[in-house]
Amino acid sequence: MRIIRTVIVGLLAALLSLTALSASPVQADQALPKRTITEVAPDEDQQVDFNAFKLNGVVTELQADGVTALPYSGKVQLQKKACKSCNWKTVKKVKTDATGKYKTKIFVPQNGVWKWRVKVKASNGYGTTKGEVWTAAFE
């Protein structure tokens, strides 16, 4: 009887330690510093076609001293959402240049409303960063 009890307690302790380890990365990502995304508003000055606008931005990483910002070199995800209850979908991945700048196009649907944003995944000690949400629709 004692052996069975010991085995059950050991299994429960192992199970609890695994759940504690799996929950910590989510909390750790929230504690990480974020990158800075600075975007130019896609207004009539940025219009490329009757249904397309340029979206330009710069991604920087604030350093430990709190003053120096270095350009981010990596991929930026362009995400689209078609309705309020819909999930964000990655439409395109764009690489930043040596100065942290990226360029892409966002499109306006014939009917309805699309929401666009830029997202940079967590890496190198920085958490996931999401840019401003832009709404595209014909009026």
Side-chain angles (χ1 to χ4, degrees):
M1 191 68 158
R2 287 185 186 193
I3 294 173
I4 293 173
R5 206 175 335 160
T6 307
V7 170
I8 291 174
V9 168
L11 288 173
L12 284 174
L15 182 63
L16 288 174
S17 66
L18 286 176
T19 24
L21 290 175
S22 67
S24 63
V26 173
Q27 295 168 352
D29 184 41
Q30 293 171 353
L32 294 174
K34 306 285 185 191
R35 293 179 174 95
T36 305
I37 299 175
T38 309
E39 295 173 326
V40 177
D43 55 7
E44 57 271 350
D45 297 335
Q46 301 291 325
Q47 190 167 2
V48 179
D49 203 359
F50 78 97
N51 69 337
F53 292 85
K54 288 191 286 186
L55 181 63
N56 301 329
V58 179
V59 183
T60 55
E61 299 174 339
L62 194 62
Q63 298 303 302
D65 61 3
V67 178
T68 312
L70 296 176
Y72 167 71
S73 177
K75 290 188 179 179
V76 173
Q77 295 179 349
L78 179 65
Q79 295 185 324
K80 178 176 81 170
K81 185 175 180 177
C83 63
K84 285 185 179 183
S85 61
C86 299
N87 293 326
W88 288 98
K89 293 183 182 179
T90 300
V91 176
K92 187 178 186 181
K93 294 181 182 177
V94 182
K95 272 192 94 158
T96 60
D97 62 7
T99 60
K101 294 180 183 177
Y102 64 89
K103 294 183 207 176
T104 187
K105 287 182 184 178
I106 60 174
F107 296 94
V108 181
Q110 293 271 336
N111 299 320
V113 175
W114 286 347
K115 295 197 180 278
W116 297 89
R117 76 173 179 193
V118 172
K119 175 182 168 185
V120 181
K121 283 189 170 183
S123 64
N124 297 337
Y126 290 92
T128 301
T129 308
K130 297 169 186 163
E132 194 170 337
V133 176
W134 303 103
T135 304
F138 283 112
E139 294 179 351

